[in-house]
C-alpha cells in the first residue's frame, strides 16, 4: 500500500472539508480500492498526542516509509522566523514540514494557502505565512525553488480556495498506483490535466462573453449577461476546470450567478483585497477591462468589443427565463 500523511498548517481546513466530501472515489475508496494507507489525518486519524509524535518520529527515522506527504495551509514562519506561532507535536510545524518533505517520495500542496500563501500572506502578513514552494507568484516559498522530492518531482500544487475534491483524489490515486509520470505540471506546478483550460470553459453564459453583453447587477448573472465586464468575474483569465468538473456534480460559481474569484491563480487574492476591487471589474479610462484575454493591444480589443456588441443578436439582450 502507498502511505499518506496529511498535516495542517495555517488554514481554515476548507480543503479537508472538500476532501472528506469526495464521492468517486470517496476517502474510504482510496483505502479499499486504491491501496492508500492513511497514516494520519488531523480530522480522520485515530491517534492522538504521544501516538502522533511517535508516528512522526518513525517516519523521519524511515522505519515507516512515506510515499505521499500532503500539506494543507500556509507554512507559518512567525514570529521572526521561529515558527512558534504554529506549534505541533512539540515543535514548530515548519520544522516538521521541512523534515517530512525531505523523506517523502512525493509532496502535495492542497489549497491556495499551501500552494502560495493565499490570503494569510497578504501584506502586512503578521504570521509570516508562505507556501511550500511559492510565495504568491514568486517561486521559492518555504522549501526553496530547487526542491525536488525523492520521487523526482517538485511540490505538486493543487490550488483552490478550497480545491475541488476530484482534483485532490485523482492526483493521489495517480501517485498511489505508480502513475506519477502522467502528472504533467505547468509553471506553477499545477497538474495540466486540470489547469490547462480556463474556468470559463463550460460556463453556461459564455455566449454573452462573446457578444460582449454584460450583467450589470447581481441576480442577472443567472439569466442574462456575462459577469466579466462589470462584476469582476475572472473566469476568462483563470486556469481551472470549475465548469467541467462541477461542485457536487451540479454547479459552479458562474452557474449560480456568482463571479469567478480566480482562486486557482497564484496572484490570488487580487489587488490584495483593496477596497473597490472586489466584485468590480477594473477598467482603463472607465471603459476597457484592465485585464483581458485578447492578446492584441487595448485599441484592437476595443474595436473587437464594439463590433461584437453591435452584431449581437436580439436574444442576447433579452432575459433568457420568463417567469
Amino acid at each position: 500500500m502507498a502511505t499518506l500523511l496529511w498535516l495542517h498548517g495555517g488554514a481554515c481546513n476548507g480543503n479537508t472539508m472538500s476532501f472528506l466530501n469526495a464521492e468517486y472515489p470517496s476517502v474510504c475508496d482510496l483505502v479499499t480500492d486504491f491501496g492508500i494507507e492513511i497514516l494520519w489525518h488531523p480530522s480522520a486519524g485515530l491517534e492522538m498526542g504521544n501516538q502522533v509524535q511517535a508516528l512522526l518520529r518513525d517516519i523521519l527515522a524511515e522505519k515507516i516509509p512515506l510515499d505521499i506527504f500532503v500539506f494543507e495551509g500556509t507554512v507559518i514562519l512567525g514570529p521572526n522566523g521561529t515558527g512558534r506561532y504554529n506549534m505541533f507535536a512539540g515543535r514548530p510545524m515548519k520544522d516538521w514540514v521541512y523534515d517530512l518533505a525531505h523523506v517523502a517520495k512525493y509532496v502535495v500542496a492542497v489549497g491556495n494557502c499551501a500552494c502560495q500563501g493565499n490570503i494569510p500572506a497578504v501584506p502586512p502578513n503578521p504570521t509570516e505565512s508562505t507556501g511550500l514552494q511559492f510565495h504568491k507568484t514568486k517561486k521559492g516559498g518555504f522549501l526553496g525553488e530547487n526542491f525536488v522530492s525523492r520521487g523526482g518531482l517538485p511540490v505538486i500544487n493543487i490550488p483552490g480556495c478550497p480545491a475541488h475534491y476530484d482534483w485532490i483524489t485523482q492526483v493521489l490515486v495517480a501517485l498511489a498506483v505508480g502513475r506519477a509520470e502522467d502528472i504533467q505540471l505547468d509553471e506553477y506546478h499545477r497538474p495540466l490535466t486540470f489547469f490547462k483550460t480556463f474556468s470559463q470553459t463550460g460556463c453556461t453564459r459564455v455566449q454573452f462573453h462573446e457578444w460582449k453583453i454584460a450583467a450589470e447587477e447581481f441576480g442577472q448573472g443567472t439569466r442574462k449577461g456575462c459577469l466579466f465586464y462589470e462584476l469582476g468575474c475572472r473566469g476568462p483569465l483563470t486556469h481551472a476546470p470549475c465548469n467541467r468538473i462541477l461542485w457536487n456534480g451540479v454547479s459552479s460559481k458562474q452557474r449560480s450567478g456568482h463571479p469567478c474569484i480566480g482562486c486557482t491563480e497564484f496572484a490570488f487574492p487580487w489587488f490584495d483585497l483593496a477596497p473597490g476591487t472586489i466584485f468590480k471589474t477594473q477598467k482603463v479610462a472607465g471603459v476597457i477591462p484592465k485585464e483581458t484575454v485578447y492578446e492584441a493591444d487595448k485599441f484592437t480589443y476595443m474595436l473587437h468589443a464594439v463590433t461584437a456588441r453591435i452584431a449581437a443578436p436580439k436574444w442576447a439582450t433579452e432575459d433568457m427565463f420568463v417567469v
Side-chain angles (χ1 to χ4, degrees):
M1 297 181 75
T3 57
L4 180 149
L5 176 72
W6 184 309
L7 293 184
H8 285 167
C12 66
N13 297 349
N15 295 285
T16 280
M17 295 301 295
S18 175
F19 175 62
L20 294 179
N21 277 287
E23 295 182 314
Y24 307 109
S26 68
V27 175
C28 291
D29 293 336
L30 293 179
V31 177
T32 59
D33 296 349
F34 295 99
I36 296 179
E37 179 185 359
I38 300 177
L39 298 174
W40 194 71
H41 183 295
S43 297
L46 298 178
E47 296 81 5
M48 298 177 66
N50 291 335
Q51 295 170 317
V52 176
Q53 292 189 36
L55 171 66
L56 296 176
R57 292 193 192 99
D58 285 346
I59 292 173
L60 294 183
E62 301 191 52
K63 296 178 182 178
I64 299 175
L66 178 58
D67 294 307
I68 308 169
F69 174 43
V70 179
F71 192 67
E72 171 184 5
T74 63
V75 181
I76 293 177
L77 305 180
N80 303 317
T82 65
R84 295 189 64 82
Y85 279 156
N86 185 19
M87 298 294 293
F88 177 73
R91 304 173 69 198
M93 176 62 84
K94 72 177 185 67
D95 294 347
W96 288 115
V97 170
Y98 185 89
D99 292 344
L100 291 165
H102 284 83
V103 299
K105 187 174 183 181
Y106 301 108
V107 179
V108 180
V110 173
N112 274 8
C113 288
C115 291
Q116 49 92 344
N118 204 29
I119 293 174
V122 170
N125 189 7
T127 59
E128 300 171 38
S129 283
T130 191
L132 282 181
Q133 203 166 11
F134 281 83
H135 185 86
K136 299 298 185 181
T137 58
K138 184 178 180 181
K139 192 173 182 181
F142 175 64
L143 294 175
E145 61 179 325
N146 297 318
F147 171 81
V148 176
S149 68
R150 289 186 173 184
L153 291 176
V155 174
I156 300 169
N157 288 322
I158 309 177
C161 196
H164 192 289
Y165 46 82
D166 279 349
W167 312 344
I168 303 170
T169 56
Q170 289 186 41
V171 168
L172 295 182
V173 166
L175 296 175
V177 300
R179 296 183 59 182
E181 68 277 2
D182 292 343
I183 303 177
Q184 298 182 44
L185 305 177
D186 69 8
E187 60 181 317
Y188 294 110
H189 302 176
R190 299 172 296 193
L192 284 173
T193 187
F194 300 120
F195 299 101
K196 188 171 184 177
T197 58
F198 293 89
S199 176
Q200 184 187 36
T201 307
C203 177
T204 54
R205 278 173 295 283
V206 69
Q207 68 272 27
F208 296 118
H209 179 78
E210 297 303 319
W211 295 115
K212 307 298 183 271
I213 302 298
E216 297 179 351
E217 60 185 29
F218 283 99
Q220 287 183 334
T222 56
R223 307 191 312 274
K224 64 177 185 178
C226 176
L227 298 160
F228 170 73
Y229 298 102
E230 298 294 337
L231 300 176
C233 179
R234 302 191 65 86
L237 306 165
T238 299
H239 294 85
C242 297
N243 281 294
R244 292 190 296 113
I245 302 174
L246 301 176
W247 284 90
N248 299 320
V250 175
S251 193
S252 68
K253 285 186 174 68
Q254 293 103 314
R255 292 187 183 206
S256 65
H258 190 289
C260 167
I261 59 176
C263 69
T264 57
E265 294 294 336
F266 276 41
F268 182 84
W270 302 95
F271 312 107
D272 287 339
L273 305 174
T277 64
I278 301 172
F279 305 141
K280 183 176 177 62
T281 301
Q282 305 302 296
K283 297 183 179 182
V284 176
V287 178
I288 308 171
K290 188 175 181 180
E291 299 171 278
T292 70
V293 295
Y294 203 63
E295 295 180 355
D297 59 84
K298 299 291 184 183
F299 179 73
T300 305
Y301 171 82
M302 191 169 183
L303 287 178
H304 169 73
V306 170
T307 303
R309 187 150 191 174
I310 291 173
K314 183 179 178 181
W315 62 259
T317 61
E318 295 177 347
D319 193 327
M320 293 184 68
F321 295 91
V322 178
V323 178

